[in-house]
Amino acid sequence: MNQPSPAIVAQEGVRRLPRWGLLLFCAVYVLFGFLWRDPWRRADISSFGVMLELAQNPASFLSPTLLGQAVDTNALLHYWLGAAAIHWLPLEPFVAVRVLFVLMLWLTLTATWYGIYYLARGPSAQPVSFAFGGEAHPTDYARTLADGGLLALTACLGLAQPSHEVAAPLTQLCCAALMLYAFAALPYRTVLPALFGTLGTLGLTLSGAPTMAVLFALAGALIYAGSKREWNALILADGYEADPAALQPHERRRWLWVAGLAALTLLSALLASQLELWRWRLQPLPSRWVEWRDLIKLHIWFTWPVWPMAIWTIWRWRNHWRRGRGAFSLTLPLAAGLICSIAGWIGDSPKDSLLLGLPAYAALAAFALPTFKRSAQAFIDWFSLIVFTAAATAMWLVWIALQAGWQLRIVERVLAAVPGYAPVFEWGLFLSALAVTLGWLYLVRWRTRRLRPALWKSMILPAGGVTLCWVLMMTIWLPAINHARSYTVVAQEITQTMQAADPDVRCLDIIGLDEAQASALLYHTPFEVHRAGTSLQCNWLVTDESQVMLLPHLHDMQQWTEAAVVYRPGRSEAIHLYRRLP
């Protein structure tokens, strides 16, 4: 059943991207950002601290605590998974948690690839059939779009940092990708889509986004309920005859999926209610231009470059919606993307909402690839080449200037942003950065040669450029970033001060510290950390600068003297350290 389509693709244009190249690229993107670095502030170290305590006290899994105090959050799943990794993996705690989240990010990329693949298999998504043959084979066409969509996802600027933190956003992203795969694959498979769809919906509910889980499942049920024409076209494309009696079992199967998704929606809502996970609140639309500007800028850079490609897809495939032929291939990712975009405007956490929509945006962006003209592809290539080469060159030059001690204004600004940082040279980080930079040069040389056409080629440089800059940040710039974004320096200074004054010190009381500060002291210091009033006898006490004036009203300070004030590098944040008088 040939459908009018804006995609005109010959078999030559759907050449397969080498699997080793795609797997190597994904491995580099996933691993760099988890390797070598310390836990960062704020969600990263806060989540890890709760996981660490939950691993020691599994009985509190329904109400996780940090140093005995309940954590005010509606996200549970990532705590459970992290605590299980710490408990079962014979590794250092933060390494064990990172191994788990590495696998979670890999699962996200895999689920996105297969989701786009099955979306592109739909009859309405196929390119125009040629009069004398030679058009792209459906399976090859779907595989090529999946390759391009995965590259588009990794090119998203907003994906890099949240997807490499051991926090709730990555868990939510993984569950959203599983749901996209499940809804796309349901017409073709049974067991795996049903399993991953259930896991994704319930996981999204337990990871702090029950509203999004319910909306995604409900949208899927409504789309399947109204997609009789698309479903029958899919069955006929698989070789079934146009016999109403032969189509009845498949029609019943469609309604079975609708009922299953409706039941899953209800189950997620009941689970969220039972565990009191409904914390999402609507926010009024901005009333000032500054707020509108900030939201617009966030949407533009966070979802770049998939948002202009998604808009182009909607425009070029507009006739499919007019004729009701875009149910599976286009309406599913469009519905998910709209839900996340609207939530980004009216929700209380725009970045987290937009992050959940990135797999859907990437799926829509993939359908723009077969409609691009050569001029558009050339613009994407040259724009990516110039921007990312310039950015990487600047990062290398400033790093060399730091290592050489050159007295340049840019070097002075960098050092002023991270006071106390002394440039260090590490061979492992340097060689990793050099290898990825040489890989970028090879990629540029390969892309600028005359090559046979392939739909995924226009996404190679954007994805490679983002990965290059991310790897440079996570290698040659990592010591400076760790110095600025972690609490390692603060914890080390507190530890040295305490041990210099009292070599036999064993414990430390805290009062008025937030979750990130408390988690950092729990992990980075060798002492037993307690909340003030819960230990029998600790001779040392720390508090945040904001609590210093209130401290005499909360604690008897006549027996204490201030031993040090420790500042977090580059921040106004300060921690006051007190010692009990003899």
Side-chain angles (χ1 to χ4, degrees), residues 3-301:
Q3 306 287 356
S5 171
I8 303 176
V9 184
Q11 179 63 26
E12 185 184 15
V14 293
R15 290 186 300 111
R16 187 174 184 176
L17 178 63
R19 294 300 96 181
W20 67 267
L22 185 61
L23 293 175
L24 178 61
F25 169 79
C26 291
V28 170
Y29 184 85
V30 169
L31 291 177
F32 286 92
F34 286 110
L35 298 174
W36 298 305
R37 72 173 180 84
D38 298 327
W40 289 341
R41 177 183 174 90
R42 158 175 311 264
D44 203 35
I45 185 64
S46 300
S47 298
F48 174 67
V50 178
M51 296 171 188
L52 199 60
E53 185 160 323
L54 185 59
Q56 301 170 354
N57 183 24
S60 62
F61 73 100
L62 287 179
S63 55
T65 60
L66 180 60
L67 297 177
Q69 181 172 309
V71 179
D72 183 20
T73 181
N74 62 331
L76 296 173
L77 183 60
H78 69 297
Y79 295 143
W80 297 347
L81 296 175
I86 294 173
H87 182 76
W88 292 106
L89 296 180
L91 300 170
E92 191 272 336
F94 192 58
V95 175
V97 172
R98 281 186 291 189
V99 169
L100 173 67
F101 279 76
V102 163
L103 297 177
M104 199 177 299
L105 180 53
W106 189 271
L107 180 59
T108 300
L109 299 182
T110 303
T112 302
W113 190 95
Y114 277 101
I116 299 174
Y117 171 79
Y118 282 112
L119 289 174
R121 286 276 301 273
S124 64
Q126 294 302 308
V128 173
S129 297
F130 298 164
F132 300 101
E135 69 277 2
H137 188 274
T139 302
D140 297 333
Y141 174 74
R143 185 185 296 115
T144 301
L145 285 195
D147 292 341
L150 182 60
L151 293 175
L153 175 65
T154 56
C156 292
L157 300 180
L159 179 69
Q161 180 179 329
S163 66
H164 290 87
E165 292 185 334
V166 293
L170 176 54
T171 311
Q172 297 173 1
L173 175 65
C174 181
C175 293
L178 289 178
M179 294 183 71
L180 176 67
Y181 158 74
F183 294 164
L186 275 176
Y188 305 90
R189 299 288 185 268
T190 301
V191 178
L192 283 181
L195 174 62
F196 286 133
T198 303
L199 292 177
T201 306
L202 298 182
L204 195 57
T205 301
L206 293 172
S207 61
T211 305
M212 305 298 284
V214 169
L215 291 177
F216 284 164
L218 183 59
L222 294 176
I223 289 172
Y224 271 98
S227 60
K228 179 178 180 180
R229 179 186 298 181
E230 179 83 3
W231 186 276
N232 290 339
L234 180 64
I235 300 303
L236 294 174
D238 286 340
Y240 293 93
E241 296 183 1
D243 182 4
L247 293 176
Q248 286 181 0
H250 303 284
E251 183 67 12
R252 287 194 294 268
R253 180 166 168 255
R254 178 172 69 92
W255 283 108
L256 180 63
W257 291 133
V258 173
L261 289 173
L264 200 55
T265 302
L266 181 60
L267 179 60
S268 297
L270 292 176
L271 181 63
S273 300
Q274 187 67 25
L275 297 177
E276 298 181 356
L277 301 178
W278 295 109
R279 307 284 181 86
W280 194 68
R281 295 289 183 269
L282 293 177
Q283 301 294 319
L285 289 175
S287 57
R288 298 183 302 167
W289 164 244
V290 175
E291 297 172 341
W292 279 104
R293 182 195 63 192
D294 293 341
L295 275 176
I296 292 173
K297 289 171 60 177
L298 173 65
H299 281 67
I300 289 176
W301 75 259

Side-chain angles (χ1 to χ4, degrees), residues 17-18 21-22 25 147-148 151-152 154-155 369 380-381 384-385 388 439-440 442-444 446-448 451 454-468:
L17 178 63
L22 185 61
F25 169 79
D147 292 341
L151 293 175
T154 56
L369 298 178
I380 294 174
D381 287 337
S384 303
L385 172 62
F388 292 117
W440 167 253
Y442 172 80
L443 190 65
V444 169
W446 173 85
R447 184 64 187 94
T448 53
L451 300 171
L455 296 182
W456 42 263
K457 285 171 55 177
S458 57
M459 286 291 99
I460 284 288
L461 292 185
V466 170
T467 303
L468 167 67

Side-chain angles (χ1 to χ4, degrees), residues 538-574:
C538 279
N539 294 325
W540 294 88
L541 173 72
V542 294
T543 188
D544 184 70
E545 187 176 40
S546 61
Q547 301 293 316
V548 171
M549 299 299 295
L550 300 175
L551 199 57
H553 304 283
L554 303 175
H555 205 68
D556 182 10
M557 297 303 298
Q558 295 182 356
Q559 306 175 30
W560 299 84
T561 182
E562 188 172 82
V565 179
V566 181
Y567 291 92
R568 182 163 167 253
R571 307 289 177 180
S572 58
E573 182 179 346

Side-chain angles (χ1 to χ4, degrees), residues 301-580:
W301 75 259
F302 197 91
T303 59
W304 180 269
V306 293
W307 70 263
M309 298 175 64
I311 293 176
W312 180 252
T313 295
I314 295 172
W315 171 252
R316 293 290 284 123
W317 294 80
R318 62 192 182 279
N319 290 331
H320 277 56
W321 280 288
R322 293 176 182 174
R323 299 167 182 170
R325 293 168 176 165
F328 293 135
S329 304
L330 300 174
T331 308
L332 278 172
L334 177 62
L338 286 177
I339 289 172
C340 295
S341 293
I342 294 173
W345 288 100
I346 64 176
D348 55 357
S349 183
K351 288 186 178 180
D352 292 346
S353 299
L354 292 176
L355 181 68
L356 296 184
L358 290 184
Y361 299 141
L364 285 176
F367 286 99
L369 298 178
T371 67
F372 279 157
K373 297 181 179 179
R374 289 187 177 181
S375 57
Q377 295 177 353
F379 173 78
I380 294 174
D381 287 337
W382 284 107
F383 178 83
S384 303
L385 172 62
I386 294 172
V387 170
F388 292 117
T389 300
T393 302
M395 295 172 72
W396 271 108
L397 290 177
V398 175
W399 178 81
I400 293 173
L402 278 171
Q403 296 295 322
W406 296 344
Q407 300 298 319
L408 302 178
R409 178 170 297 181
I410 185 64
V411 173
E412 295 175 355
R413 290 180 179 178
V414 171
L415 294 177
V418 283
Y421 170 70
V424 295
F425 180 87
E426 297 185 20
W427 276 105
L429 299 179
F430 169 73
L431 292 178
S432 298
L434 182 61
V436 174
T437 304
L438 294 176
W440 167 253
L441 296 177
Y442 172 80
L443 190 65
V444 169
R445 180 178 178 274
W446 173 85
R447 184 64 187 94
T448 53
R449 293 164 54 192
R450 289 186 174 271
L451 300 171
R452 290 183 297 168
L455 296 182
W456 42 263
K457 285 171 55 177
S458 57
M459 286 291 99
I460 284 288
L461 292 185
V466 170
T467 303
L468 167 67
C469 294
W470 174 250
V471 171
L472 291 181
M473 290 179 60
M474 294 297 101
T475 50
I476 56 177
W477 282 95
L478 185 60
I481 295 175
N482 273 338
H483 185 85
R485 299 209 57 190
S486 76
Y487 280 99
T488 305
V489 176
V490 174
Q492 288 176 348
E493 187 171 343
I494 291 175
T495 300
Q496 292 170 1
T497 302
M498 293 172 60
Q499 291 180 337
D502 184 6
D504 298 327
V505 61
R506 291 290 182 269
C507 67
L508 174 66
D509 277 347
I510 65 171
I511 185 170
L513 299 186
D514 61 25
E515 294 176 2
Q517 295 167 331
S519 298
L521 294 179
L522 180 66
Y523 176 63
H524 288 298
T525 63
F527 315 119
E528 296 180 10
V529 180
H530 309 278
R531 294 197 180 274
T534 61
S535 60
L536 295 178
Q537 187 70 21
C538 279
N539 294 325
W540 294 88
L541 173 72
V542 294
T543 188
D544 184 70
E545 187 176 40
S546 61
Q547 301 293 316
V548 171
M549 299 299 295
L550 300 175
L551 199 57
H553 304 283
L554 303 175
H555 205 68
D556 182 10
M557 297 303 298
Q558 295 182 356
Q559 306 175 30
W560 299 84
T561 182
E562 188 172 82
V565 179
V566 181
Y567 291 92
R568 182 163 167 253
R571 307 289 177 180
S572 58
E573 182 179 346
I575 293 180
H576 291 247
L577 175 64
Y578 295 87
R579 185 186 182 190
R580 192 189 300 271

